[in-house]
Amino acid sequence: MRIIAIANQKGGVGKTTTTINLGAALAEQGKRVLLVDLDPQGNTSTGLGIPADARKNTSYDLLLGDSAPDPIAVGLGAGQLWLIPANTDLASADIELHAHEKRSFLLHDALRHMGPDAGDFDYILIDCPPSLNLLTVNAMVAAHAVLVPLQAEFYALEGLSQLMMTIREVRTKANPGLRIEGVVLTMADMRNRLSQQVEADVRQTLGDLVFQSVIPRNVRISEAPSYAQTILDYDPLSKGSQAYRALALEVLARHEGTR
Ligand code: ADP
Ligand code: MG
């Protein structure tokens, strides 16, 4: 089982989109995948068609409740892709966590004591909020690795040093084995010179950390959540589907030691 936190404190860079669609692409490869929505906005849950009133057992309960929630089967290839949704309860969790003795370790402990089904997951992807708050720290403490979506725009690298500092701090204090899974460029427009320049800069700065796969800006990707579908279900042959499939293969290859 491998736990990956999808994190970047900037909003709108593709965290939620990557959580859903990388998850779907790993599931398509036959992996059993659990998505944990750790953003109080609950976009992963909404994007997969779980209405707010159907979110009885949520990531809030996972962190602060008495018993672990049962994951919900999502996606067309149901049976492979599961979700622990979020609702607005999570908005107060950050404050409640501060009062808790094990404040940074609650998600770590919960995911490792999730009941008989938990051990069956090959991958757990955690969609983090756009902040370096205690929720994100919980995700990093729980995870084996952090995957960072980076929007291919002029200010792409700005804010990254802060994120890296947080990762270093989590390593020092709580999770020495935490790795950086990789950085994935999102919403790239390859016909655009600025996008090409940003990609070149990011690769020069971060080298091997950057996935070869680049997620293009693709309108089908942004439409899929309004149909409560992953891009692989909504438009399996789209450029967006192909890109997330390629990313999933890279993630798998990194873990199968072929890196
Ligand atoms: P975050 O979770 O980091 O805030 P999202 O994944 O919600 O970011 O993406 C922000 C917005 O950009 C959403 O409206 C989403 O549909 C859109 N989006 C994300 N990735 C793409 C893409 N590759 N092509 C087009 N639109 C995208
Ligand atoms: Mg999001």
Side-chain angles (χ1 to χ4, degrees):
M1 194 243 278
R2 188 154 177 96
I3 304 176
I4 302 175
I6 317 266
N8 185 331
Q9 75 276 22
K10 276 198 202 180
V13 298
K15 289 182 291 298
T16 297
T17 305
T18 298
T19 303
I20 293 175
N21 295 312
L22 173 61
L26 288 168
E28 194 181 64
Q29 291 299 315
K31 303 298 174 188
R32 281 175 56 94
V33 181
L34 173 65
L35 310 179
V36 177
D37 190 351
L38 208 63
D39 184 348
Q41 292 180 77
N43 292 341
T44 295
S45 313
T46 310
L48 287 165
I50 313 300
D53 59 11
R55 298 174 204 166
K56 298 258 152 41
N57 291 302
T58 65
S59 53
Y60 176 89
D61 302 301
L62 186 64
L63 284 167
L64 290 156
D66 298 329
S67 61
D70 285 329
I72 306 169
V74 289
L76 283 187
Q80 297 285 65
L81 188 61
W82 305 79
L83 168 72
I84 296 179
N87 62 13
T88 48
D89 288 351
L90 199 57
S92 67
D94 193 48
I95 292 166
E96 288 174 55
L97 286 169
H98 276 280
H100 210 286
E101 193 190 342
K102 301 193 73 186
R103 63 183 75 84
S104 305
F105 289 87
L106 292 174
L107 186 63
H108 173 278
D109 294 353
L111 288 178
R112 282 157 181 84
H113 300 116
M114 234 176 36
D117 290 343
D120 291 351
F121 292 111
D122 299 306
Y123 284 89
I124 299 181
L125 306 185
I126 307 170
D127 185 20
C128 292
S131 150
L132 294 172
N133 63 9
L134 257 183
L135 289 172
T136 297
V137 167
N138 261 272
M140 288 181 180
V141 172
H144 299 103
V146 181
L147 190 153
V148 183
L150 209 62
Q151 189 177 345
E153 55 160 16
F154 184 62
Y155 294 111
L157 287 166
E158 208 170 83
L160 204 64
S161 58
Q162 223 184 329
L163 179 66
M164 296 301 174
M165 233 147 61
T166 304
I167 292 173
R168 241 172 278 141
E169 203 174 314
V170 167
R171 272 189 196 134
T172 310
K173 293 191 177 152
N175 185 4
L178 181 65
R179 299 188 48 179
I180 296 173
E181 185 71 28
V183 170
V184 61
L185 281 160
T186 62
M187 292 178 251
D189 180 356
M190 284 316 157
R191 287 159 306 182
N192 173 311
R193 287 220 352 247
L194 175 61
S195 234
Q196 290 168 4
Q197 187 60 49
V198 169
E199 180 179 355
D201 285 352
V202 168
R203 288 197 190 282
Q204 190 168 22
T205 309
L206 301 174
D208 258 4
L209 276 185
V210 188
F211 286 103
Q212 286 306 313
S213 317
V214 171
I215 310 299
R217 184 176 286 285
N218 175 233
V219 67
R220 307 296 275 168
I221 290 180
S222 56
E223 287 168 3
S226 58
Y227 294 89
Q229 288 178 2
T230 74
I231 186 63
L232 300 196
D233 293 332
Y234 178 62
D235 191 345
L237 299 179
S238 62
K239 288 254 173 358
S241 288
Q242 291 169 28
Y244 274 109
R245 279 193 194 100
L247 179 63
L249 292 180
E250 275 192 74
V251 168
L252 289 169
R254 286 184 179 200
H255 296 170
E256 268 134 48
T258 49
R259 194 181 172 192

